[in-house]
Amino acid sequence: LGGGIPGSAAELLSSHLDSWTEAIRTGAIGPIQREIDALPSRFDGMKPLLHLQLLRKAGLDGFARQAIAKMPADFPRLRPADAVVVAEIALELGQPDAARRILSDVDPEVLASEFLETFLRLAVVLGLQEPGKRAERLLETKYPTSLGLAWHRIERAITSFDYRSAAEIASKQAAPHAAEHAAVYALVADRFDGNAPDYSGAIEASRNFPPQYRRLAARLICENALHRGRPVTVLDLVLAVATEDFDEGLARLSLRAVRDCLVVRPESGEKLTKAISAVLAVVARTPYDGDLRNQLTRTLSVESMGLHGLAILMSIALDLAKRPQKPEPLADLSAWPKPASPDAILDAIGPTLQWMSKASPVMIGRAVLPDALIPANVDSIVAGLLRFLEFQPIDTEQGSGLFEQILVCAVALVPRASIKDMDLSMIR
């Protein structure tokens, strides 16, 4: 029972994990790709997924999308479990059509419980009704105690605003935190009975929950108010929520409420401004969330709000300007390194470009250069590279390709230079 299979697929892959993890940490992906390609032939069916997972882990999303497009047509049939993972990655990369196509070719009958649960979740998100129903029936027949099935039914009950059923399903689950979820659903159900939901009372009662369940309760309460056409109530509710509980989910609901308020109550300007200020605080805390920033921009755009968005931004800017400021000292530009000449730059980065061609693809901002490639005058080289990036033409394929190579090289050199934040200027 404690034995293993010498030379098994799992053992061989695990022997590579440390070196692959280190390569990802230092930003060089090319060697891992070559190692995957060199695996024995019995791994051929698995190699497309290994390549895709590597690219996704490295954050090379453009390459990952290309890898998905190159997946063999019979991949979902030959490796259905792997295909479910590929569909999940495709959805994460903003390719719902590819995810839908891959998942549609998977036979859920052959999936183990955890992959069948993922299949069901993806089918619901992608709007694949028949495959989703089939997966639900299979889980109910083969794995009736499946937590994935239970949470799917809880989500369906919540979508239908049937909080009582959600609480009942959660209360029967022997899973971590199921009781806390059941308590949240029961609280909301009690406050929303009848035609006069007690939104403020529900928010107040939820303050006794731990933070993550306070946030869950607040989202459910605001979603219900939006469903009932009460966007102004939503703004009142989100502004009553503690600052530390105002998360990304509430920020998105706030933006929906702001848009609806312009139709229902366009005069509610002060509340709109306070809500946008709260959303801005979330955006500032989550700089990686580009989707939320784009949603905020669309909400405040002229197309969505006319001149209301500009007025709100001006109000927030004036409010910030009135607060005490602590100006940073001016940079001593005379102390900055003088840019190296073009010839000196080419001599310095030539070996680096050769190294990168072997390590490619590399992760911009993560690539760690060997010590032997760091020039002695790194500060002046970096300053020259910054100037090069500002003026390098990119209107041809050759020019844009060279620009990309120089950019990756320049950003990799910055950590060895004196001005540590110059990589941000380069990327910008």
Side-chain angles (χ1 to χ4, degrees):
L1 290 175
I5 304 174
S8 67
E11 182 179 298
L12 186 57
L13 286 178
S14 65
S15 69
H16 287 279
L17 284 181
D18 288 342
S19 62
W20 289 355
T21 302
E22 178 63 16
I24 289 176
R25 189 187 68 79
T26 56
I29 309 305
I32 315 180
Q33 290 187 317
R34 289 189 285 275
E35 283 190 29
I36 291 174
D37 288 334
L39 289 171
S41 59
R42 67 179 187 273
F43 287 90
D44 286 352
M46 190 187 303
K47 289 176 183 177
L49 177 60
L50 290 175
H51 277 295
L52 176 60
Q53 289 176 312
L54 164 66
L55 295 169
R56 181 65 175 140
K57 182 74 172 176
L60 298 170
D61 291 352
F63 287 107
R65 293 187 184 97
Q66 293 174 19
I68 291 173
K70 294 177 182 176
M71 288 284 173
D74 58 355
F75 185 74
R77 179 177 57 82
L78 297 178
R79 301 190 66 85
D82 288 358
V84 172
V85 179
V86 173
E88 187 172 33
I89 294 175
L91 186 59
E92 291 172 355
L93 292 173
Q95 293 190 302
D97 290 340
R100 201 174 285 115
R101 171 176 48 80
I102 294 167
L103 206 67
S104 297
D105 290 339
V106 173
D107 180 7
E109 186 80 44
V110 300
L111 297 174
S113 60
E114 63 271 24
F115 291 104
L116 191 53
E117 290 174 344
T118 304
F119 182 100
L120 172 59
R121 176 172 56 80
L122 293 175
V124 171
V125 173
L126 296 169
L128 299 173
Q129 295 185 2
E130 281 307 313
K133 291 177 181 177
R134 186 180 174 196
E136 184 176 355
R137 288 193 298 269
L138 286 169
L139 281 170
E140 188 173 27
T141 304
K142 300 168 68 173
Y143 312 104
T145 60
S146 159
L147 290 178
L149 176 62
W151 289 116
H152 163 70
R153 290 175 170 171
I154 287 171
E155 287 294 329
R156 186 167 59 196
I158 290 173
T159 302
S160 303
F161 302 101
D162 185 1
Y163 308 107
R164 193 75 64 192
S165 294
E168 183 179 354
I169 297 170
S171 65
K172 295 177 180 177
Q173 301 307 307
H177 310 299
E180 289 88 341
H181 281 85
V184 171
Y185 306 143
L187 165 68
V188 177
D190 291 341
R191 297 284 176 166
F192 292 172
D193 276 344
N195 295 321
D198 181 10
Y199 294 119
S200 298
I203 286 286
E204 194 61 37
S206 69
R207 297 189 194 281
N208 296 323
F209 291 132
Q212 70 185 92
Y213 302 107
R214 288 201 304 267
R215 290 190 282 270
L216 172 60
R219 286 196 295 271
L220 294 177
I221 294 165
C222 291
E223 285 172 356
N224 188 282
L226 279 174
H227 173 68
R228 292 174 183 256
R230 302 184 181 185
V232 180
T233 300
V234 174
L235 296 186
D236 290 334
L237 293 172
V238 295
L239 294 175
V241 171
T243 303
E244 61 270 19
D245 288 341
F246 197 92
D247 62 357
E248 180 188 343
L250 284 180
R252 294 179 186 278
L253 288 170
S254 298
L255 293 177
R256 282 176 52 193
V258 166
R259 292 192 293 270
D260 291 352
C261 274
L262 292 175
V263 178
V264 180
R265 289 272 299 279
E267 74 278 5
S268 52
E270 185 177 354
K271 291 179 181 179
L272 297 179
T273 301
K274 289 181 178 179
I276 293 296
S277 294
V279 174
L280 281 170
V282 176
V283 170
R285 292 199 305 269
T286 56
Y288 49 83
D289 192 345
D291 181 64
L292 180 59
R293 287 200 307 277
N294 290 336
Q295 192 173 338
L296 172 62
T297 302
R298 287 193 297 271
T299 299
L300 294 173
S301 68
V302 175
E303 290 82 0
S304 298
M305 298 186 69
L307 295 180
H308 284 283
L310 180 60
I312 288 173
L313 287 175
M314 289 297 295
S315 176
I316 294 172
L318 289 172
D319 179 62
L320 291 172
K322 293 175 184 177
R323 299 180 186 180
Q325 303 291 318
K326 184 181 179 182
E328 294 186 3
L330 291 173
D332 183 7
L333 299 182
S334 63
W336 276 44
K338 298 296 183 286
S341 68
D343 289 341
I345 292 174
L346 289 175
D347 289 342
I349 69 171
T352 303
L353 291 175
Q354 291 179 358
W355 175 84
M356 284 193 171
S357 68
K358 296 177 182 178
S360 182
V362 295
M363 299 160 64
I364 186 168
R366 292 277 296 279
V368 178
L369 296 179
D371 291 341
L373 295 177
I374 307 303
N377 56 336
V378 63
D379 280 353
S380 60
I381 295 295
V382 166
L385 287 170
L386 181 60
R387 176 173 292 180
F388 173 89
L389 292 170
E390 289 176 343
F391 298 105
Q392 165 66 20
I394 56 173
D395 52 345
T396 65
E397 186 175 347
Q398 183 179 7
S400 62
L402 177 61
F403 180 89
E404 185 176 350
Q405 288 180 305
I406 298 295
L407 175 61
V408 176
C409 177
V411 171
L413 277 172
V414 168
R416 305 296 190 97
S418 302
I419 306 173
K420 302 299 183 185
D421 291 336
M422 194 177 282
D423 56 343
L424 302 178
S425 298
M426 292 173 170
I427 294 171
R428 183 167 60 244

